Amino acid sequence: MENRKIMLGMSGGVDSSVAAYLLKKQGYEVIGLFMRNWKEQDDSGHCTADIDYADALRVCATLDIPFYTADFSDEYWERVFLHFVEEYKKGRTPNPDVFCNKYIKFDAFLKFALSQGVDMIAMGHYAKRSDKDGVAYLCKSYDTNKDQTYFLSQISQEQLKYALFPLGD
């Protein structure tokens, strides 16, 4: 595991912060990436993502890991939000988190991470990955009350083979 580069989706929350700590403790070279997936500001002109950004930056500084940011808001708008609106108009209620994982975290983020020379990506999801005979399987987390495999159900085998879930156990 030593010298393996992992880019971790850093939201500034507890889950991604603990995931960063665990990966670093396991000997990975961890890089934190804050994803801007939304551009809207509140009524006072303040972008609520700024608080999350500051939290993520502080965690990365505390853990002494590099910190980057990437803007995926256009991809999110096109591939997640507009799909949600269209489905809602048809009387359906899709879960945008499922599509955010499929198209943003495990597609746009993954492509960005690989272009930066990392070996794998990691997220603060409660899930596990198991490998058998060259196939990666998505498995429920140890804590079934926090399990998030439903939200990851649309990611492909190609996407899954690059993913680590440090909170799975």
Side-chain angles (χ1 to χ4, degrees), residues 7-94:
M7 187 169 279
L8 170 71
M10 284 296 301
S11 67
V14 172
D15 294 339
S16 64
S17 300
V18 171
Y21 170 79
L22 292 173
L23 289 168
K24 188 166 179 178
K25 187 176 175 184
Q26 292 168 7
Y28 290 105
E29 181 181 338
V30 181
I31 300 166
L33 181 82
F34 181 79
M35 292 175 269
R36 289 199 181 270
N37 296 333
W38 198 254
K39 290 183 180 176
E40 191 167 322
Q41 299 175 342
D42 65 15
D43 293 337
S44 67
H46 179 75
C47 178
T48 55
D50 290 344
I51 295 168
D52 297 334
Y53 175 86
D55 289 342
L57 179 62
R58 187 171 31 260
V59 169
C60 287
T62 300
L63 295 176
D64 192 30
I65 61 175
F67 179 73
Y68 299 97
T69 187
D71 188 337
F72 300 126
S73 57
D74 290 340
E75 291 94 334
Y76 187 88
W77 181 266
E78 291 294 323
R79 303 194 78 193
V80 178
F81 188 72
L82 289 180
H83 170 76
F84 173 81
V85 170
E86 289 304 313
E87 289 297 303
Y88 193 75
K89 285 178 184 176
K90 295 174 186 173
R92 296 188 280 257
T93 53

Side-chain angles (χ1 to χ4, degrees), residues 68-131:
Y68 299 97
T69 187
D71 188 337
F72 300 126
S73 57
D74 290 340
E75 291 94 334
Y76 187 88
W77 181 266
E78 291 294 323
R79 303 194 78 193
V80 178
F81 188 72
L82 289 180
H83 170 76
F84 173 81
V85 170
E86 289 304 313
E87 289 297 303
Y88 193 75
K89 285 178 184 176
K90 295 174 186 173
R92 296 188 280 257
T93 53
N95 187 319
D97 291 338
V98 171
F99 294 102
C100 181
N101 285 320
K102 180 178 181 176
Y103 295 119
I104 307 303
K105 293 178 181 174
F106 292 89
D107 186 37
F109 175 93
L110 175 60
K111 288 174 184 170
F112 176 84
L114 294 175
S115 78
Q116 301 301 304
V118 303
D119 300 302
M120 300 185 82
I121 63 169
M123 300 289 170
H125 288 98
Y126 287 86
K128 288 183 177 184
R129 190 186 100 190
S130 175
D131 296 289

Side-chain angles (χ1 to χ4, degrees), residues 1 4-6 23 28 106 110 114 119-123 125-142 147-149 152 155-169:
M1 295 188 208
R4 295 217 43 201
K5 287 185 183 179
I6 307 296
L23 289 168
Y28 290 105
F106 292 89
L110 175 60
L114 294 175
D119 300 302
M120 300 185 82
I121 63 169
M123 300 289 170
H125 288 98
Y126 287 86
K128 288 183 177 184
R129 190 186 100 190
S130 175
D131 296 289
K132 184 176 180 182
D133 299 326
V135 178
Y137 295 93
L138 181 64
C139 303
K140 288 188 176 197
S141 71
Y142 177 78
D147 181 74
Q148 295 174 306
T149 52
L152 301 166
I155 66 173
S156 70
Q157 174 63 208
E158 183 67 19
Q159 294 166 320
L160 185 59
K161 77 178 188 179
Y162 286 103
L164 292 176
F165 303 104
L167 301 182
D169 288 320

